[in-house]
Amino acid sequence: MSSVTELLHTKYPLVQAPMNWATDARFVAAVANAGLSEMVHGSAAHERQLQAQLDQVRTLTDQPIGINVVLEPDPAPHMNSTLEVAFANGLRYFAVVGEPDQAVYRRIKDHGGVILARPLTPTVANAKAAEAYGTDILVATGYDEGGILPQHFQGTFTVVPTMADAVSIPVLAAGGINDARGG
């Protein structure tokens, strides 16, 4: 099993999740320059906006960055254009949000991508499916996280050990971590 820092080529095993438009090029570059993995918010952008953000990020850092991809129902034109821009820019790190999708994971892997899978509501079944489809890192979230909330009412520190016991890949905790005393 590889460590998170080896998989993401970062100094620290931390990932700053995209936060809609708060995650602009300056924010992405600052986080990447600090030695953490940073994800560009690709799922809410049009191709030209996304390309402009990536171009600006590249003027501010030479560190690895990734992109957030929200899995959408078929035909998913927005997700497909996000992936195409990411592939054209040589991005290798993909935070994929939603139920594991073997076809999407295969497309990312075919482009040499590293997948950080974040099922919206983590379960043992979707964790195992994500791992089987090629996920490199699983992101386990509880109801106390920000963004799109899981459908269960379990906290992060209940979900993380369940997911870690279910898979043999690294598991990152997301949400509910406020200071050193809490985790």
Side-chain angles (χ1 to χ4, degrees), residues 157 176-183:
F157 290 104
I177 304 165
N178 298 312
D179 62 21
R181 294 171 296 167

Side-chain angles (χ1 to χ4, degrees), residues 37-105:
S37 181
E38 174 55 297
M39 300 292 160
V40 173
H41 193 280
S43 39
H46 297 293
E47 285 180 52
R48 286 185 304 242
Q49 292 170 317
L50 178 56
Q51 187 61 59
Q53 284 293 305
L54 291 172
D55 290 345
Q56 187 178 5
V57 168
R58 287 296 167 222
T59 68
L60 300 170
T61 187
D62 62 354
Q63 297 301 308
I65 62 165
I67 192 162
N68 190 55
V69 177
V70 176
L71 297 174
E72 300 172 344
D74 197 43
H78 197 87
M79 179 197 66
N80 289 325
S81 65
T82 297
L83 288 173
E84 291 307 317
V85 171
F87 298 152
N89 282 273
L91 297 185
R92 290 196 51 237
Y93 308 103
F94 295 81
V96 183
V97 179
E99 285 301 304
D101 184 312
Q102 188 171 18
V104 173
Y105 286 25

